[in-house]
């Protein structure tokens, strides 16, 4: 398969072994040409032109488009999308495909349902260099093996059917229900004896493109910057952050397990750091519904390490073969490493130290300025008001307790608040009391909930008038960087500490665990300042 694509790439004048493609579905020829130019600017070296999306009165408009295009192209025409015009649509589609072959377009794509022996023979007899792609689309994970499950057997049989058409390239697009449904596509890519394009669509299918080149994919799809598509990385991220052209079978896979996961900035920090240290790794978003099932399916040694986010930090403890004592006492894991020697999953918590040291340094800086330097923790003896009792909240509660703080916990689920308070010898209070809570002046407020996170950036866990009682306010939310809570706390005169600082510190700890070496702290901090 790879040799085939290399021949195609060389013939088309490409300098990279990886084709980066985007699908264009514009209404007019002018819009299509403008979109091609934009795709080129964003790093695409191949475009799929969906001619069925265009409104044109004569085939000559399509001919003009194909002659003026500035990137190698796949020409497709999906007649089944033209509702109520099946017959005329099929006739027009055949015209378009014949024209593309006559004009020596690099690829034409034909739906399997349309790919008759007569049509394939005709196009092959007419072509000079055009390669023929036969494609099919599977809904709901491909079916046949239970709801939301993609079968290797069904995929294998499908490949045989598509290959029997005599196509140069076969293409399979699958609408997946779970991230675990992508694994059979990787297996298919790695073992295919024919040129194959495989894509999983939907938010949970994103890794089909980000990790595809590791398993032999020579074409990946991305989305134009102003047209986000679920399951497709933006073109700019492919070329600027992920650098998929550098991936090979030995690349180690890391990622953030979360739901939701789109807010995570981890990929934009860890991937540049991998390249900066010449480490052969990639870090990807992993939208996971069932963490135990995820680890059951993705159990090979190449899936080497993971960050763990909302809502999986507590459940992750039960997925580990061994848990670091600190993480075990907290009852939450935010980092998992697959130990190379035996493949066992080892859990850690880098949230705790990251949060507490960020708060301590901010308080020390204020006290040094006021001539009050001290070697003891500035948190000692303080009333530490915590919002949230999930994984991040547990890390903060245990960290605050370890420094001698008195911990008070508010959580929407009062039973969870009481359980955590009991674990740290603290106090739990009903969430409704948070707005008016003022036990004393000079308290510390730490938000470990998702309140205020994009897309709900207008929300805040504590009203502005209540913030005057706090000396320092910390917000674990880092998207946006300056949350409403932090803005209003600063206006109320409190020291504010952004979740970005905690993010940097916990990421440094994770990177050391991922690579078994030192993290490039200056580089990673600069990356955050430039990109976030």
């Amino acid at each position: 398969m790879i040799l085939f694509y290399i021949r195609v790439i060389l013939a088309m004048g490409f300098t990279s072994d990886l084709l980066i493609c985007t699908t264009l579905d514009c209404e007019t020829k002018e819009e299509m040409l403008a979109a091609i130019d934009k795709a080129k600017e964003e790093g695409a070296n191949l475009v799929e032109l969906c001619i069925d999306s265009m409104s044109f009165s004569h085939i000559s408009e399509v001919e003009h488009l194909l002659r003026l295009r500035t990137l190698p192209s796949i020409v497709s025409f999906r007649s089944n999308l033209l509702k109520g015009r099946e017959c005329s649509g099929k006739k027009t589609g055949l015209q378009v495909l014949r024209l593309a072959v006559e004009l020596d377009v690099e690829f034409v794509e034909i739906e399997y349902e349309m790919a008759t022996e007569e049509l394939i023979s005709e196009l092959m007899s007419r072509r000079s260099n055009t390669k023929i792609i036969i494609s099919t689309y599977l809904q709901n994970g491909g079916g046949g093996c239970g709801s939301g499950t993609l079968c290797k057997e069904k995929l294998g049989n499908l490949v045989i059917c598509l290959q029997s058409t005599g196509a140069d390239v076969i293409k399979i697009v699958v609408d997946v229900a779970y991230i675990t449904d992508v694994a059979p596509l990787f297996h298919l890519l790695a073992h295919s004896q024919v040129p194959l394009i495989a894509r999983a669509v939907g938010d949970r299918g994103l890794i089909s493109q980000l990790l595809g080149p590791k398993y032999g994919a020579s074409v990946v799809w991305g989305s134009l910057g102003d047209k986000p598509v679920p399951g497709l990385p933006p073109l700019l991220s492919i070329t600027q952050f992920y650098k998929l052209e550098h991936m090979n079978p030995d690349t180690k896979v890391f990622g953030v397990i979360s739901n939701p996961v789109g807010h995570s900035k981890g990929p934009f920090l860890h991937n540049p750091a991998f390249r900066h240290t010449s480490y052969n790794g990639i870090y990807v978003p992993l939208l996971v519904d069932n963490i135990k099932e995820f680890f059951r399916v993705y159990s090979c040694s190449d899936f080497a390490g993971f960050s763990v986010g909302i809502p999986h930090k507590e459940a992750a403890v039960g997925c580990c073969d061994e848990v670091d004592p600190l993480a075990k006492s907290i009852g939450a894991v935010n980092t998992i490493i697959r130990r190379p020697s035996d493949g066992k999953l080892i859990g850690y918590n880098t949230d705790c130290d990251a949060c507490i040291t960020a708060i301590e340094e901010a308080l020390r800086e204020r006290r040094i300025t006021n001539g009050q330097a001290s070697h003891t923790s500035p948190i000692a003896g303080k009333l530490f008001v915590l919002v949230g009792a999930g994984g991040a909240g547990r890390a903060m509660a245990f960290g605050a307790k370890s420094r001698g703080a008195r911990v008070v916990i508010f959580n929407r689920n009062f039973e969870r608040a009481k359980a955590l308070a009991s674990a740290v010898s603290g106090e739990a209070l009903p969430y409704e009391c948070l707005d008016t809570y003022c036990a004393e002046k000079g308290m510390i407020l730490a938000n470990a909930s998702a309140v205020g996170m994009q897309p709900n950036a207008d929300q805040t866990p504590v009203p502005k008038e209540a913030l005057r009682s706090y000396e320092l306010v910390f917000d674990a939310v880092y998207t946006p960087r300056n949350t409403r809570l932090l803005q209003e706390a600063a206006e109320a005169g409190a020291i504010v500490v952004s979740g970005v600082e905690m993010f940097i510190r916990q990421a440094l700890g994770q990177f050391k665990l991922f690579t078994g070496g030192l993290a490039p702290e200056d580089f990673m901090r600069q990356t955050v300042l430039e990109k976030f």
Side-chain angles (χ1 to χ4, degrees):
M1 180 177 74
I2 294 176
L3 289 177
F4 166 85
Y5 277 114
I6 289 175
R7 288 197 296 270
V8 173
I9 290 165
L10 291 176
M12 291 159 50
F14 288 106
T15 58
S16 169
D17 289 349
L18 184 68
L19 297 177
I20 300 173
C21 185
T22 191
T23 299
L24 305 179
D25 51 357
C26 305
E27 189 171 339
T28 67
K29 175 190 69 177
E30 290 75 20
E31 290 173 350
M32 195 73 88
L33 289 170
I36 293 172
D37 289 340
K38 182 169 184 179
K40 190 174 183 179
E41 289 175 5
E42 294 187 5
N45 49 23
L46 180 68
V47 288
E48 178 186 351
L49 306 177
C50 297
I51 306 300
D52 50 89
S53 68
M54 293 177 59
S55 297
F56 55 90
S57 56
H58 195 272
I59 194 70
S60 60
E61 295 179 54
V62 178
E63 179 178 355
H64 196 217
L65 165 66
L66 297 182
R67 291 188 184 278
L68 290 178
R69 63 198 168 88
T70 55
L71 277 178
S73 306
I74 301 169
V75 169
S76 65
F77 193 99
R78 293 170 175 77
S79 58
N80 62 340
L81 297 181
L82 303 176
K83 299 186 184 303
R85 293 191 287 142
E86 286 84 357
C87 293
S88 61
K90 184 175 181 180
K91 181 180 177 181
T92 303
L94 293 175
Q95 277 186 293
V96 168
L97 295 175
R98 291 181 181 119
L99 175 63
V101 169
E102 290 171 6
L103 294 178
D104 212 18
V105 172
E106 290 75 19
F107 298 93
V108 295
E109 181 178 330
I110 308 169
E111 301 160 292
Y112 179 55
E113 296 75 15
M114 266 184 71
T116 64
E117 185 177 343
E118 292 77 16
L119 175 59
I120 300 297
S121 297
E122 177 192 348
L123 294 180
M124 285 187 170
S125 65
R126 288 170 176 251
R127 71 177 179 178
S128 295
N129 297 304
T130 301
K131 303 298 180 184
I132 295 174
I133 302 171
I134 302 297
S135 65
T136 191
Y137 178 85
L138 301 179
Q139 289 185 307
N140 302 320
C145 301
S147 176
T149 302
L150 187 61
C151 284
K152 291 180 183 177
E153 294 80 6
K154 180 171 182 176
L155 283 175
N157 292 333
L158 185 57
V159 167
I160 293 172
C161 292
L162 295 173
Q163 188 180 5
S164 68
T165 64
D168 300 299
V169 185
I170 62 176
K171 177 181 174 183
I172 299 175
V173 180
V174 185
D175 182 6
V176 296
Y178 303 103
I179 194 170
T180 47
D181 290 335
V182 181
L185 289 179
F186 293 148
H187 182 271
L188 192 67
L189 279 167
H191 294 88
S192 178
Q193 300 301 309
V194 297
L196 171 67
I197 296 170
R199 278 181 56 198
V201 298
D203 289 327
R204 289 157 179 80
L206 178 63
I207 60 170
S208 72
Q209 299 309 291
L210 294 180
L211 301 183
K214 174 178 172 63
Y215 298 96
S218 293
V219 185
V220 296
W221 257 256
S223 61
L224 281 176
D226 59 352
K227 288 189 175 182
V229 179
L232 291 185
L235 285 173
L236 286 173
S237 73
I238 293 175
T239 55
Q240 293 181 6
F241 293 108
Y242 293 108
K243 302 282 187 181
L244 300 185
E245 67 273 15
H246 299 306
M247 194 181 298
N248 58 51
D250 296 324
T251 300
K252 294 296 184 182
V253 177
F254 302 86
V256 52
I257 295 172
S258 188
N259 189 354
V261 76
H263 67 282
S264 175
K265 303 297 185 183
F268 308 115
L269 179 59
H270 286 289
N271 286 308
F274 284 146
R275 291 191 297 275
H276 181 77
T277 56
S278 300
Y279 187 90
N280 187 11
I282 186 170
Y283 185 101
V284 297
L286 301 166
L287 181 54
V288 173
D289 299 283
N290 185 321
I291 190 170
K292 286 188 177 180
E293 183 66 6
F294 174 84
F295 282 120
R296 185 190 70 80
V297 172
Y298 295 101
S299 59
C300 70
S301 61
D302 280 356
F303 282 77
F306 310 90
S307 307
V308 184
I310 296 171
H312 300 301
K313 293 186 179 187
E314 293 168 86
V317 175
C319 297
C320 296
D321 299 295
E322 298 175 18
V323 180
D324 177 78
L326 173 63
K328 195 168 187 176
S329 66
I330 293 170
V333 158
N334 82 317
T335 310
I336 296 177
I337 304 300
R338 193 182 302 278
R339 192 159 57 198
S341 60
D342 56 13
K344 289 187 175 183
L345 297 176
I346 316 300
Y348 300 88
N349 192 302
T350 66
D351 280 338
C352 179
D353 189 64
C355 165
I356 297 304
T357 58
I359 291 174
E360 284 180 324
E361 286 192 16
L363 287 169
R364 284 195 178 104
E365 185 176 334
R366 166 74 66 88
R367 292 180 183 184
I368 289 172
T369 302
N370 295 334
Q372 299 173 333
S374 171
H375 295 295
T376 62
S377 171
I379 295 176
K382 301 281 285 186
L383 194 58
F384 192 94
V385 180
L386 175 64
V387 183
R394 294 188 67 85
M396 293 181 200
F398 276 84
K401 177 195 174 186
S402 72
R403 301 300 204 270
R406 296 168 289 137
V407 182
V408 177
I409 301 164
F410 293 87
N411 190 66
R412 292 188 188 279
N413 184 322
F414 189 49
E415 294 304 314
R416 285 174 63 88
K418 287 196 294 184
L420 178 55
S422 175
V424 296
S425 302
E427 181 182 6
L429 295 174
Y431 193 82
E432 302 77 44
C433 300
L434 177 60
D435 290 359
T436 56
Y437 183 73
C438 183
E440 60 187 60
K441 293 292 185 180
M443 301 181 292
I444 296 172
L445 175 67
N447 176 38
S449 75
V451 177
M453 181 187 294
Q454 291 175 342
N456 301 310
D458 60 325
Q459 298 179 1
T460 180
V462 180
K464 184 176 180 179
E465 53 270 19
L467 295 174
R468 296 186 180 90
S469 301
Y470 296 96
E471 179 183 3
L472 180 143
V473 174
F474 167 82
D475 197 344
V477 172
Y478 64 86
T479 53
R481 181 171 185 166
N482 191 20
T483 61
R484 178 182 168 186
L485 174 64
L486 294 182
Q487 292 175 39
E488 294 181 348
E491 292 169 5
I495 304 167
V496 295
V497 180
S498 168
V500 171
E501 184 59 34
M502 176 181 173
F503 171 76
I504 293 172
R505 291 169 185 247
Q506 63 83 29
L508 288 167
Q510 288 184 334
F511 194 88
K512 293 174 185 177
L513 292 168
F514 289 161
T515 63
L518 295 175
E521 181 171 354
D522 292 342
F523 175 82
M524 292 175 76
R525 283 189 173 278
Q526 187 61 34
T527 298
V528 170
L529 291 174
E530 291 176 354
K531 304 299 182 184
F532 286 29

